[in-house]
Amino acid sequence: QVHLAESGGGLVQAGGSLRLSCAASGRTSNYVMGWFRQAPGKERDFVATISRFGLSTDYAESVKGRFTISRDNAKNTAYLQMNSLKPEDTAVYYCAADLPPRGQAAQVGYWGQGTQVTVSS
């Protein structure tokens, strides 16, 4: 069993940056980890995944070049660095563990509780 806790969300102006963290209770090196986001009235969408030891990453086209996923297995923590934020990035961001690379929400084994990111124009 893995428990995930996100932090780092907040309100930022367009063009700004935020760094999300996901602290896990279990051993994260056992799992692919990822980030998803869900805007009001929309489905939970894939944002990024990172392989077990960080050698491979995948990104949604909408965030490629602006977001960077990383992990520190010694700290059982994953990160999402978000730069050049846009109002359309506004959503609740969820940390995920135990999923295939570029996996869909239905394939996720463990979820965090989510953290709100709001980007003002």
Side-chain angles (χ1 to χ4, degrees):
Q1 189 77 2
V2 174
H3 294 282
L4 306 173
E6 302 95 336
S7 61
L11 174 64
V12 64
Q13 288 188 331
S17 298
L18 282 175
R19 188 194 196 202
L20 305 183
S21 298
C22 173
S25 62
R27 190 172 179 178
T28 56
S29 61
N30 290 339
Y31 304 106
V32 171
M33 297 193 71
W35 290 90
F36 287 71
R37 65 186 182 186
Q38 188 167 20
K42 296 191 176 181
E43 295 183 348
R44 192 171 296 188
D45 291 331
F46 162 78
V47 174
T49 50
I50 186 167
S51 60
R52 290 174 58 196
F53 298 101
L55 298 180
S56 178
T57 57
D58 291 279
Y59 296 94
E61 286 298 320
S62 59
V63 306
K64 197 174 290 186
R66 300 187 298 121
F67 290 12
T68 302
I69 188 172
S70 61
R71 65 192 297 164
D72 185 339
N73 288 341
K75 297 182 179 179
N76 290 322
T77 302
Y79 305 95
L80 186 68
Q81 178 67 43
M82 304 185 294
N83 299 329
S84 302
L85 282 160
K86 305 175 182 179
E88 51 264 43
D89 294 318
T90 295
V92 177
Y93 283 71
Y94 294 91
C95 180
D98 190 15
L99 71 161
R102 302 190 66 86
Q104 299 179 356
Q107 299 174 292
V108 172
Y110 302 100
W111 289 106
Q113 82 286 354
T115 185
Q116 177 70 46
V117 171
T118 303
V119 184
S120 63
S121 57

